[in-house]
Amino acid sequence: MYNREHVTKLPKTSSEIISEAKAALNPPLYIKPLTTNRPFTPRERVFFCQRRTNRPPSAFKLQHVQFQENKKTSCPKLPALDNPKYSTVNSLDCKKEIKRQTHSNSASTTRRRSNSDVANNANISRKKISSLSFPLSIDTLLKNHYEQNVYDHEYMSHENEINEARALCFDVDTDCLWIISLIETKMKKNFETSEMCSLLNKLAMAIKRENLSVIRDENKKETILKTVFKLVNTSPDDDLTVHILLVLLQMQVTGKYLATVCKLIFKISRLDKNDNLFLKTNVLTLFVDILGLATPREDAESLIYGYGALKFLTMNPDLMERAMNNGCLSLMLLHLKMINLERTERQVLPETINHVLYQLTGTLRNVVNDRKFYVELLSSGGLVTIYRALELFSGDIDVVTNISRILSIMSTDGKCCEALVDCWSNVSVLMSIIDKYPGQEEIVVRITYTLGNILTNNENARHQLYETHCSMGTFLNLMQLYLEKDLNNISRDVKFNIVEDVLIKIIRVIVNMSIQPEIGAKLVKAADDYHPVHKVKECEQFLDSLLTILRRKSIDENEELVLAALAALNNLSYYADMSNPNNGPFGARQLDITQALSLLLTTRNQFCKVEVARVFGNLTRSATVRDYLLETSGLLAVTNCLDSGDKELLVVCCGVLVNMTSDENNREAFKNYNGVSKMVNILRSLGEHNWTLSALICQTLWNVCSGSDRFPGDPMVVLDTLVKLTDEEQLFGELLSSNEEKVAEYKQWEDFASVATNLLEWLDELLEGRFDNIEQ
């Protein structure tokens, strides 16, 4: 903290430090939270990463996709009727009649027959009619005569003939089997893909019209499936496969057929160039609907490839929007809850469920990239479910990686941070993940990034984390581990950015935790009856790591890491009692810290200069540090910063100079460096636009003139400037009653005026009675 009056009035006790810290949390002049970039995640369509074995294959041969015929041991049969024209005696005549009709009529000369024509045909037996797939009107006509019986095998050999005869009897334009017969005919030739796609599209519409997904007509379904699966193995064309999928999805296939559908969609979705095929059809909408029929335990294979496909498709914003509009997010959360429930009820789960969870969480990771879905996630308890999955499946490194990515993205939203703190019983789950995978950079960097975001604004989370057993020890050991990794990378001239990123995120956790006054004061406290020695050792270890970074890293090549280290030094040194070298780790290491920082005072990096000056604003409360800066030209470097046009740099440098000019030796040096005239010029040009800066300038000038009857320069210039800057009526007038911004500015002005008035009165007395003492 910067001394506004005199070094002798600096706070001495922890309670005073904490009290002032609470009042200084908002102004950027003092401590502040540290921000950082989100960890980088590559956007690649990868099915599984390479860290685990025994994963399902991402490539498979379509020739292995086979239609599985159902073996029937019985079929429906109609009883004999009294009407002689339906008797079984005429069965042979019926066969001959069917053959005659099917060979004498071509598709081009097909005539339509009404239902009554069939009913009155004396050559077709009632038994033969019962084996056909008739329209609903005929089935209704015959349903009262339905019974189960052994199927007459002599009619099975004539199934194709019967279907052809049926096609002649009914409207071929709308019947599924008629379209299938056309598809089979074209499959025997070199068909055009566009023509076949058109037929498949008509077949899908016919299936929807006949509601084939719910009609219990297994013969028709099997005929369609058998033909469609032949077609799958005939052509690898993706456009054709999409239209095949339209047929299969419209039928709402289940079991092994659903797994095949998911594999086919997965195969197409692997290439982003195929996204357009999903955009111009409703395959994705039907696909989300059919996934709702699957369960993670019973249909694991289907969901592995199904969510694998959705993971790829949701990388396209338009496709993700379409999937979410069709209820995909609710479905994913439902499946996630089912998986969590399986884990709580069973000690050992099939490995396939873990595979499903990996693909599902990978899809969720894409979804949370869009903030508009956060409302649904929070209102449905989705974040709680995700966090629960992290706890239950902490042993699966790939699942943990995915969930850590989800949490790191969602933690950038304030409401999600609050919900996350509310849903954890304590922070021990996240800490246990770090303890379990300390060497996994992708996990550690995201968990620490999440914690850093949460700690930025959540006081309760700061206390929870600090009070968690060995939390500081965990972070410091991690920091030591990754610092050694990073330094070893330097020696091999190899860059591993993620290692440095982990260091940044770990430092940020401690920095953002320390903005809580009680915690910050404890972190730098000397050992006593209530503060054990190992806590002091932790602070010393942290200081050692920060100093290593400042000495071994370059601001030009490692800017974010160096700035993070400086931010940590600033926040912790703010709470330290620098007046007593024996009172805490900072007091004991103050010269080591000062030496490391002095090397950065002359850097060309403005951000670095600001952070260095911010730390010196705290360290210069120590007379030892002030003497060192004077002897090593540190005061000159800080004074030269007054030539900068950077307002933030000017503020923090003036804060350092307030403390430096509390010593008489430093005042003379400051005058010799032309510091007074520089400050007067800043006051004249920026005074009305930055009251904090103006107050610090006035305090510095007051310190320079303390105990003297001379002003180093023209006092009239300063006097005129201060008269204008302290004219309350002229500056604010009636605006205070109508302008909220002016009210806030007025409070800052009052702080300035309390300092400026003292200087103004001193100058006024000087001009009135002691002109002979003014330096020319």
Side-chain angles (χ1 to χ4, degrees):
M1 176 184 152
Y2 305 126
N3 179 10
R4 291 190 171 185
E5 294 186 8
H6 235 278
V7 70
T8 56
K9 295 185 180 181
L10 288 172
K12 298 292 185 179
T13 65
S14 296
S15 61
E16 289 175 328
I17 293 174
I18 293 170
S19 178
E20 294 193 8
K22 290 180 178 179
L25 284 177
N26 293 325
L29 184 62
Y30 305 104
I31 61 176
K32 62 176 184 177
L34 179 62
T35 59
T36 185
N37 297 320
R38 204 177 86 190
F40 171 73
T41 300
R43 301 279 287 172
E44 299 175 342
R45 301 198 178 196
V46 178
F47 189 34
F48 280 102
C49 60
Q50 301 300 318
R51 285 181 298 208
R52 293 279 304 275
T53 57
N54 301 323
R55 294 297 197 187
S58 60
F60 48 86
K61 294 182 179 180
L62 293 181
Q63 283 74 13
H64 293 166
V65 178
Q66 299 291 335
F67 167 75
Q68 298 178 350
E69 296 187 70
N70 295 325
K71 295 182 179 180
K72 291 184 172 61
T73 58
S74 63
C75 71
K77 177 184 177 183
L78 293 176
L81 301 179
D82 295 337
N83 194 328
K85 67 179 180 179
Y86 290 114
S87 66
T88 56
V89 180
N90 298 321
S91 60
L92 295 178
D93 294 334
C94 173
K95 298 174 189 176
K96 295 177 181 178
E97 178 64 17
I98 290 175
K99 287 184 178 180
R100 185 188 64 76
Q101 290 185 17
T102 56
H103 287 88
S104 62
N105 293 280
S106 63
S108 59
T109 59
T110 300
R111 64 187 180 88
R112 300 177 182 273
R113 295 187 178 184
S114 65
N115 291 344
S116 60
D117 292 334
V118 178
N120 293 324
N121 192 334
N123 296 320
I124 301 181
S125 71
R126 178 74 62 163
K127 181 187 290 187
K128 303 267 324 188
I129 291 175
S130 68
S131 66
L132 299 176
S133 300
F134 287 101
L136 185 59
S137 58
I138 297 299
D139 290 338
T140 303
L141 178 66
L142 302 177
K143 68 179 180 180
N144 293 327
H145 305 287
Y146 179 89
E147 71 175 7
Q148 296 288 336
N149 207 331
V150 179
Y151 190 55
D152 192 340
H153 292 281
E154 69 172 298
Y155 299 114
M156 291 182 65
S157 62
H158 301 288
E159 184 177 355
N160 291 335
E161 297 173 2
I162 295 171
N163 285 333
E164 290 182 31
R166 182 192 176 286
L168 296 174
C169 297
F170 301 107
D171 187 356
V172 296
D173 293 332
T174 59
D175 184 70
C176 296
L177 293 180
W178 176 251
I179 301 175
I180 282 293
S181 68
L182 292 178
I183 291 175
E184 289 180 338
T185 301
K186 292 189 177 297
M187 285 172 60
K188 298 175 183 178
K189 306 175 183 178
N190 293 327
F191 58 83
E192 292 289 335
T193 300
S194 59
E195 189 176 6
M196 186 63 77
C197 289
S198 178
L199 281 174
L200 289 169
N201 197 44
K202 290 181 180 179
L203 178 59
M205 290 188 292
I207 291 171
K208 181 179 180 181
R209 210 164 32 243
E210 295 184 24
N211 202 13
L212 194 60
S213 63
V214 296
I215 293 177
R216 301 179 62 83
D217 193 338
E218 299 300 329
N219 287 335
K220 179 180 288 190
K221 290 181 181 179
E222 289 186 3
T223 301
I224 295 172
L225 289 173
K226 188 174 183 179
T227 301
V228 168
F229 278 100
K230 286 181 183 177
L231 189 57
V232 169
N233 295 325
T234 300
S235 173
D237 184 271
D238 289 335
D239 194 10
L240 181 63
T241 303
V242 165
H243 284 81
I244 291 173
L245 287 168
L246 281 173
V247 174
L248 296 173
L249 291 170
Q250 199 68 66
M251 293 179 69
Q252 293 190 350
V253 293
T254 57
K256 292 292 184 181
Y257 299 137
L258 175 58
T260 299
V261 168
C262 293
K263 288 180 178 180
L264 291 174
I265 293 181
F266 170 80
K267 170 183 173 291
I268 301 172
S269 65
R270 294 185 69 180
L271 301 176
D272 54 8
K273 68 177 183 179
N274 289 334
D275 286 356
N276 190 52
L277 297 176
F278 292 93
L279 288 170
K280 66 182 183 181
T281 65
N282 67 333
V283 165
L284 183 56
T285 300
L286 295 172
F287 181 50
V288 173
D289 288 341
I290 201 172
L291 277 186
L293 303 176
T295 63
R297 186 173 181 83
E298 301 298 330
D299 305 283
E301 185 180 22
S302 299
L303 291 180
I304 289 170
Y305 289 97
Y307 278 120
L310 282 174
K311 180 174 67 175
F312 297 157
L313 295 176
T314 49
M315 291 182 181
N316 184 308
D318 294 329
L319 289 174
M320 182 168 67
E321 185 79 19
R322 181 177 297 187
M324 295 303 107
N325 289 340
N326 203 49
C328 187
L329 181 55
S330 299
L331 176 62
M332 286 191 290
L333 294 177
L334 174 62
H335 280 153
L336 187 55
K337 289 179 181 178
M338 294 170 72
I339 292 173
N340 287 348
L341 184 61
E342 288 281 346
R343 168 62 79 185
T344 56
E345 293 180 346
R346 295 173 175 84
Q347 291 294 328
V348 180
L349 290 180
E351 186 69 14
T352 51
I353 291 186
N354 285 66
H355 300 334
V356 173
L357 182 60
Y358 176 73
Q359 300 302 332
L360 193 159
T361 52
T363 308
L364 278 172
R365 180 250 175 270
N366 293 338
V367 173
V368 297
N369 269 333
D370 195 330
R371 289 176 177 267
K372 66 173 169 283
F373 302 120
Y374 287 6
V375 174
E376 182 178 351
L377 266 169
L378 294 178
S379 62
S380 63
L383 187 56
V384 179
T385 305
I386 294 169
Y387 191 76
R388 179 62 172 158
L390 177 65
E391 182 178 7
L392 293 172
F393 292 88
S394 61
D396 191 320
I397 185 172
D398 294 332
V399 170
V400 170
T401 300
N402 276 347
I403 296 180
S404 67
R405 288 173 174 173
I406 294 171
L407 296 179
S408 72
I409 297 170
M410 296 191 70
S411 67
T412 59
D413 180 85
K415 291 183 178 179
C416 291
C417 285
E418 293 176 5
L420 189 56
V421 174
D422 290 340
C423 78
W424 67 28
S425 55
N426 53 59
V427 75
S428 59
V429 173
L430 295 180
M431 294 304 298
S432 68
I433 296 296
I434 294 177
D435 286 333
K436 186 173 289 188
Y437 304 105
Q440 295 295 327
E441 293 92 343
E442 290 189 3
I443 295 175
V444 174
V445 74
R446 288 172 175 83
I447 296 296
T448 50
Y449 176 73
T450 300
L451 287 172
N453 288 339
I454 294 172
L455 298 175
T456 300
N457 298 305
N458 197 296
E459 179 178 340
N460 183 41
R462 295 182 200 130
H463 284 289
Q464 282 194 29
L465 183 60
Y466 180 75
E467 292 166 6
T468 298
H469 182 63
C470 294
S471 60
M472 277 298 297
T474 297
F475 291 126
L476 294 175
N477 291 336
L478 274 177
M479 191 172 178
Q480 185 65 33
L481 171 66
Y482 283 94
L483 187 56
E484 291 176 0
K485 280 187 178 184
D486 194 57
L487 295 177
N488 289 335
N489 292 335
I490 292 177
S491 63
R492 295 198 306 268
D493 195 26
V494 178
K495 292 185 179 179
F496 289 90
N497 290 330
I498 191 169
V499 174
E500 183 174 308
D501 204 22
V502 172
L503 283 172
I504 294 168
K505 271 48 175 186
I506 295 172
I507 294 173
R508 180 172 179 250
V509 170
I510 300 176
V511 169
N512 290 357
M513 186 165 53
S514 69
I515 58 181
Q516 193 66 31
E518 296 87 345
I519 296 174
K522 287 179 181 178
L523 288 173
V524 297
K525 190 177 180 182
D528 58 26
D529 294 340
Y530 303 99
H531 193 68
V533 174
H534 78 269
K535 289 291 184 181
V536 179
K537 295 293 184 183
E538 287 177 351
C539 184
E540 291 175 351
Q541 182 181 346
F542 188 43
L543 281 176
D544 287 337
S545 297
L546 295 177
L547 291 175
T548 300
I549 290 172
L550 294 180
R551 289 166 178 161
R552 300 286 299 273
K553 291 294 184 176
S554 164
I555 185 62
D556 296 325
E557 296 178 1
N558 314 99
E559 181 182 43
E560 190 177 4
L561 178 58
V562 172
L563 293 179
L566 292 172
L569 287 174
N570 171 67
N571 280 20
L572 295 181
S573 62
Y574 175 80
Y575 298 102
D577 182 1
M578 302 303 301
S579 63
N580 186 354
N582 299 318
N583 195 5
F586 266 86
R589 303 290 299 277
Q590 55 184 287
L591 278 182
D592 290 339
I593 299 170
T594 302
Q595 289 170 357
L597 292 177
S598 297
L599 300 175
L600 297 172
L601 267 178
T602 56
T603 180
R604 292 173 296 179
N605 188 301
Q606 289 294 100
F607 298 108
C608 184
K609 280 186 178 180
V610 169
E611 294 304 321
V612 170
R614 200 186 299 278
V615 181
F616 273 133
N618 298 323
L619 295 180
T620 50
R621 293 177 303 185
S622 167
T624 303
V625 173
R626 295 196 297 272
D627 291 340
Y628 180 88
L629 289 178
L630 178 62
E631 294 171 1
T632 59
S633 300
L635 177 59
L636 175 61
V638 175
T639 305
N640 289 337
C641 289
L642 296 178
D643 296 325
S644 169
D646 187 291
K647 292 182 180 179
E648 186 175 11
L649 180 59
L650 290 175
V651 169
V652 292
C653 284
C654 286
V656 176
L657 293 171
V658 167
N659 289 342
M660 291 294 293
T661 54
S662 63
D663 295 335
E664 187 173 352
N665 292 337
N666 291 333
R667 296 172 200 162
E668 293 302 317
F670 181 67
K671 295 176 187 177
N672 296 333
Y673 297 150
N674 204 26
V676 173
S677 61
K678 291 180 179 182
M679 281 197 161
V680 172
N681 291 334
I682 295 171
L683 186 65
R684 294 176 63 189
S685 59
L686 299 176
E688 191 175 336
H689 306 287
N690 192 322
W691 297 117
T692 300
L693 176 60
S694 298
L696 291 170
I697 290 175
C698 289
Q699 182 63 64
T700 305
L701 295 176
W702 175 261
N703 285 352
V704 170
C705 300
S706 178
S708 173
D709 56 358
R710 298 170 181 263
F711 184 82
D714 186 354
M716 287 299 298
V717 176
V718 182
L719 187 66
D720 290 342
T721 303
L722 292 177
V723 168
K724 294 177 181 178
L725 295 178
T726 54
D727 190 340
E728 178 179 349
E729 187 66 26
Q730 183 67 30
L731 290 170
F732 299 97
E734 298 178 356
L735 293 175
L736 287 176
S737 60
S738 59
N739 192 321
E740 293 183 1
E741 292 183 2
K742 281 294 182 182
V743 172
E745 182 185 350
Y746 181 77
K747 292 180 180 179
Q748 295 180 354
W749 176 85
E750 283 185 317
D751 292 336
F752 156 76
S754 64
V755 178
T757 301
N758 292 332
L759 182 60
L760 183 61
E761 291 176 353
W762 183 83
L763 289 171
D764 189 48
E765 292 177 2
L766 183 68
L767 291 172
E768 283 183 358
R770 289 174 286 185
F771 285 97
D772 54 325
N773 291 329
I774 300 175
E775 295 182 359
Q776 299 297 326

